[in-house]
Amino acid sequence: MPAVVILGCGGVGRALLKQIAATKLTVAAVCDSKNALVAANGAFTAAQLSAIAEAKAAGKPLAVEGATVVPVTDSAGLAAVLKQCKEAAGGKCFVADCTASDATGPAMAEAGVAVALANKKPVTSSIDLYNKLALENPRNFRNESTVGAGLPVMAMLRRMVTSGDPISRVAGCFSGTLGFVMSGLEAGKKLSDVVAEAKSLGYTEPDPREDLSGMDVARKALIIARSMGWKLEMDDVKVEGMYPPEMGQDKMSVDEFMAALPSLDADMAGKAQAAAADGKVLRFAAVVADGKCLVGLQSVPKNTAMGALQGTDNIVEVISSCYPVSPLVIQGAGAGTETTASGVLADLLELADIHA
Amino acid sequence: MPAVVILGCGGVGRALLKQIAATKLTVAAVCDSKNALVAANGAFTAAQLSAIAEAKAAGKPLAVEGATVVPVTDSAGLAAVLKQCKEAAGGKCFVADCTASDATGPAMAEAGVAVALANKKPVTSSIDLYNKLALENPRNFRNESTVGAGLPVMAMLRRMVTSGDPISRVAGCFSGTLGFVMSGLEAGKKLSDVVAEAKSLGYTEPDPREDLSGMDVARKALIIARSMGWKLEMDDVKVEGMYPPEMGQDKMSVDEFMAALPSLDADMAGKAQAAAADGKVLRFAAVVADGKCLVGLQSVPKNTAMGALQGTDNIVEVISSCYPVSPLVIQGAGAGTETTASGVLADLLELADIHA
């Protein structure tokens, strides 16, 4: 019986715990940032999975009757747990990484397990780690939920790459938060007002600069470029954020930043108006083409799929040999715990099919 | 070594022959409507595959040095060839069906091979055959190129269905020809003019009623419904074509039909104007929802992905538990021999991964 190990008990991990109970997969262990909970006989029951999710949602420690709690303090400790689960399962171990941790990637690589990632860290740190996880054995690697939540972006790119359809350009909007801001600018709102609105609706991180810096989009651009076989590092991605360096996290507090935002309104309104005068709209986009990854504001024609995008939806447009002019487009909700967990679950089921 | 058998040497089959040469897959046999060409040692070389494609493109019979020609006159004969290839390959045989034949489905089911289909017939005839090919062993079944050419529509639906994301509605435009006609109507052209234009550009079948009847779209709607587990037959799909029964293929010739088309112009222009007055546009769409498949003209809001569609692109919109309001959308070229062959090739590579 193959073992599934779930790393992370935040929103996505807990949603996955509940979704997985309805499938043929069996969960052998669940880990949070402190402990691994290992099922006594190699498989939790659906009731146990539900109990674990509920306990964690209530802020309680990771525990359930009839399971062993193993403290996990570092990457080596996690690797040891994964190796143990893999051995107990006769060598077949599928790890769902729903954390935001740096430590899981090296542990998964060392344990030699198959992975389904929501966590972007393992695939955006060194190219060496990426090679170990993704390239050395593609049959052991899935990462749908690292880009566009559950939207089948990575699955589509994999199909195109493996079938030898040369991709020349991938462009997309991968931040629901920045999509909301762009729709607001398009409707004539001030940048400072629409960011404040997004913050009050909970669309931004507590510090909106986490979104406005564009770094999350940059990580997704890197993941896409690497999936096409490009040997790029994070430093190779050119990112132009939505605010100047003097308003950075090392220079002012969140409150000071929000107070300073109106100073950017006029410039941004000017850019939006210039785009509109040209039949275009502003989008905060990633463009992966010609060996380069560019992330930042773009003016795109209104009558394209990306130009017609509204609100928090994500979109990706791909130009390839088979789609030379009118791109292949996927769009939809690119965030949400259920959706992200669904993407991880679909990846796990593909791994299970491959290793059946 | 697993055996790939390619059925059909039309445009898609020939494109596949050339694409497959660049992969790890090995082709053991190629069949046209009269013969099977079986490689002497179980695998054609890239040069042989290329020679076969070129000979067929030049209208020559299926033959290449060092291969056996086996006449195939019916489904039983094809099943015998498939069984032989499967046995020679140690039980692993992947069949790419690039024909438009009724005979291949029963043969593939009888031989118990894994299939990658561009041919819609095997999955739109009886539900019994569909069960045998698709449901009894999902690990042996792929059919990306039966809907939207190489667009990853079926792969996306499979991921959603297997991960337990309940789908409540699938709507789409799956005819590039009818998309071209709808864009023409939207631009104020007469129906008869835009159909004549599509015919002269080669976008329609020689008899445009093959497209305008909506039957090809209806087959795709049935395939989508069945992929969601619905036990429907072709008769359960409600199809409203673009012309009345008295203009059918049993009533008049192609020339008579084209001459009679202007009689429909006023009615169609009225529908297009009524839609426009309401902020909508006409689309020839398939809607799979509430246990029913409906195919025919729909008025859809201009500011949706389907409403913004232009030209010959295909589109599919999916509403599910994870995408409850803003749908998951895939759009792009839904026709073309290279694209269709790419979809079959990606399916074959997935089957090879699963059965490695």
Side-chain angles (χ1 to χ4, degrees):
Chain A
M1 186 168 58
V4 172
V5 177
I6 298 179
L7 309 183
C9 290
V12 174
R14 295 198 303 269
L16 181 60
L17 281 171
K18 292 187 175 179
Q19 289 176 7
I20 213 169
T23 71
K24 64 185 176 184
L25 299 172
T26 53
V27 178
V30 181
C31 304
D32 64 11
S33 56
K34 295 191 181 67
N35 294 297
L37 188 67
V38 183
N41 60 351
F44 288 113
T45 64
Q48 284 177 312
L49 294 177
S50 187
I52 293 168
E54 278 161 32
K56 287 298 297 184
K60 294 179 191 165
L62 197 55
V64 77
E65 208 171 321
T68 314
V69 177
V70 182
V72 173
T73 53
D74 58 10
S75 190
L78 180 57
V81 168
L82 295 180
K83 282 180 189 168
Q84 178 199 326
C85 289
K86 183 181 169 186
E87 193 173 332
K92 285 182 189 171
C93 182
F94 312 133
V95 180
D97 186 351
C98 304
T99 72
S101 163
D102 277 319
T104 58
M108 295 185 295
E110 192 191 330
V113 291
V115 303
L117 309 178
N119 182 8
K120 289 185 280 292
K121 298 274 172 65
V123 282
T124 53
S125 61
S126 76
I127 191 82
D128 284 347
L129 180 60
Y130 185 81
N131 285 346
K132 274 191 197 134
L133 287 172
L135 299 187
E136 285 179 11
N137 188 354
R139 300 175 77 241
N140 275 353
F141 179 75
R142 289 292 187 274
N143 67 329
E144 192 57 77
S145 293
T146 58
V147 175
L151 293 177
V153 174
M154 303 311 295
M156 168 193 68
L157 290 172
R158 182 186 310 108
R159 285 179 64 90
M160 296 177 82
V161 169
T162 59
S163 68
D165 180 18
I167 296 171
S168 55
R169 185 176 193 269
V170 179
C173 298
F174 299 113
S175 163
T177 311
L178 290 167
F180 181 86
V181 170
M182 293 303 131
S183 287
L185 292 175
E186 201 177 327
K189 291 181 187 172
K190 289 180 188 169
L191 176 69
S192 57
D193 285 347
V194 71
V195 170
E197 188 184 353
K199 188 170 189 296
S200 71
L201 288 168
Y203 289 174
T204 70
E205 297 293 322
D207 183 341
R209 284 170 293 191
E210 299 284 338
D211 304 289
L212 296 171
S213 70
M215 284 310 297
D216 185 61
V217 176
R219 281 186 279 272
K220 291 166 183 169
L222 180 65
I223 292 168
I224 287 171
R226 286 180 169 180
S227 78
M228 292 156 57
W230 297 7
K231 309 286 183 200
L232 297 185
E233 297 284 0
M234 199 62 222
D235 285 347
D236 298 318
V237 182
K238 192 180 167 207
V239 192
E240 287 188 6
M242 295 280 290
Y243 57 88
E246 58 268 25
M247 288 171 67
Q249 289 176 312
D250 53 338
K251 299 287 168 53
M252 50 175 74
S253 70
V254 173
D255 286 347
E256 287 166 342
F257 175 79
M258 293 304 289
L261 254 184
S263 66
L264 305 179
D265 285 350
D267 179 55
M268 196 56 65
K271 285 179 179 162
Q273 282 156 16
D278 209 17
K280 295 182 173 178
V281 288
L282 295 182
R283 293 289 178 260
F284 194 91
V287 178
V288 180
D290 304 320
K292 290 195 284 285
C293 296
L294 304 178
V295 171
L297 278 183
Q298 286 232 333
S299 291
V300 301
K302 183 87 185 105
N303 65 348
T304 60
M306 197 187 285
L309 195 70
Q310 285 295 315
T312 59
D313 271 5
N314 283 12
I315 193 168
V316 61
E317 298 182 348
V318 183
I319 297 287
S320 72
S321 175
C322 282
Y323 303 92
V325 181
S326 188
L328 168 50
V329 179
I330 294 183
Q331 78 178 71
T337 53
E338 292 290 331
T339 308
T340 306
S342 277
V344 176
L345 183 57
D347 279 353
L348 287 174
L349 289 164
E350 284 187 11
L351 291 173
D353 254 3
I354 288 176
H355 294 284
Chain B
M1 187 167 57
V4 172
V5 177
I6 297 178
L7 309 183
C9 291
V12 174
R14 294 198 304 269
L16 181 60
L17 280 171
K18 291 188 175 177
Q19 290 176 5
I20 213 168
T23 71
K24 64 184 175 184
L25 299 172
T26 53
V27 178
V30 181
C31 304
D32 65 10
S33 58
K34 295 191 182 67
N35 293 298
L37 188 67
V38 183
N41 61 351
F44 288 113
T45 64
Q48 285 177 312
L49 294 177
S50 187
I52 293 169
E54 278 161 32
K56 287 298 298 182
K60 295 180 191 163
L62 197 55
V64 78
E65 207 171 323
T68 314
V69 176
V70 183
V72 173
T73 53
D74 57 10
S75 190
L78 179 57
V81 169
L82 295 179
K83 281 179 189 169
Q84 178 200 326
C85 289
K86 183 181 168 185
E87 195 174 331
K92 284 182 188 170
C93 182
F94 312 133
V95 180
D97 186 351
C98 304
T99 72
S101 163
D102 277 318
T104 57
M108 295 185 294
E110 192 191 328
V113 292
V115 301
L117 308 177
N119 182 8
K120 289 186 278 294
K121 296 275 173 63
V123 281
T124 53
S125 61
S126 76
I127 191 83
D128 284 348
L129 180 58
Y130 184 82
N131 284 347
K132 274 191 197 132
L133 287 172
L135 300 185
E136 285 179 10
N137 189 354
R139 299 175 76 242
N140 276 353
F141 179 74
R142 290 291 186 277
N143 67 328
E144 192 58 76
S145 293
T146 57
V147 175
L151 293 177
V153 175
M154 302 311 294
M156 167 193 68
L157 289 172
R158 180 186 310 106
R159 284 179 66 89
M160 296 178 82
V161 168
T162 59
S163 69
D165 180 18
I167 295 170
S168 54
R169 185 175 193 271
V170 179
C173 299
F174 300 113
S175 163
T177 311
L178 289 168
F180 180 86
V181 171
M182 294 302 131
S183 288
L185 292 175
E186 202 177 327
K189 291 181 188 171
K190 289 179 189 169
L191 176 69
S192 56
D193 286 345
V194 72
V195 170
E197 188 184 353
K199 188 170 187 300
S200 71
L201 288 169
Y203 289 174
T204 70
E205 298 292 323
D207 183 342
R209 284 170 294 191
E210 298 284 337
D211 304 289
L212 297 171
S213 69
M215 284 310 297
D216 185 61
V217 177
R219 282 186 278 272
K220 291 165 181 169
L222 180 64
I223 292 168
I224 287 171
R226 285 180 169 179
S227 78
M228 292 156 56
W230 296 8
K231 309 287 182 199
L232 297 185
E233 296 284 2
M234 200 63 223
D235 286 347
D236 298 318
V237 182
K238 194 180 166 205
V239 193
E240 287 188 5
M242 294 280 290
Y243 57 88
E246 58 268 25
M247 289 171 67
Q249 290 176 310
D250 53 339
K251 300 286 169 53
M252 50 175 73
S253 70
V254 173
D255 286 345
E256 287 166 343
F257 175 79
M258 292 305 288
L261 253 184
S263 66
L264 306 179
D265 285 349
D267 179 54
M268 197 57 66
K271 284 179 179 163
Q273 284 157 14
D278 210 17
K280 294 182 173 177
V281 288
L282 294 183
R283 293 289 177 261
F284 194 91
V287 178
V288 179
D290 306 320
K292 290 195 285 284
C293 295
L294 303 177
V295 170
L297 278 183
Q298 287 231 334
S299 292
V300 302
K302 184 88 183 106
N303 66 346
T304 59
M306 197 188 285
L309 194 71
Q310 285 295 317
T312 59
D313 271 6
N314 284 13
I315 193 169
V316 61
E317 299 182 346
V318 182
I319 297 286
S320 72
S321 175
C322 282
Y323 303 92
V325 180
S326 187
L328 195 171
V329 178
I330 294 183
Q331 78 178 71
T337 54
E338 291 291 330
T339 309
T340 305
S342 277
V344 176
L345 183 57
D347 279 353
L348 286 173
L349 289 163
E350 284 186 13
L351 290 173
D353 253 2
I354 288 176
H355 294 285

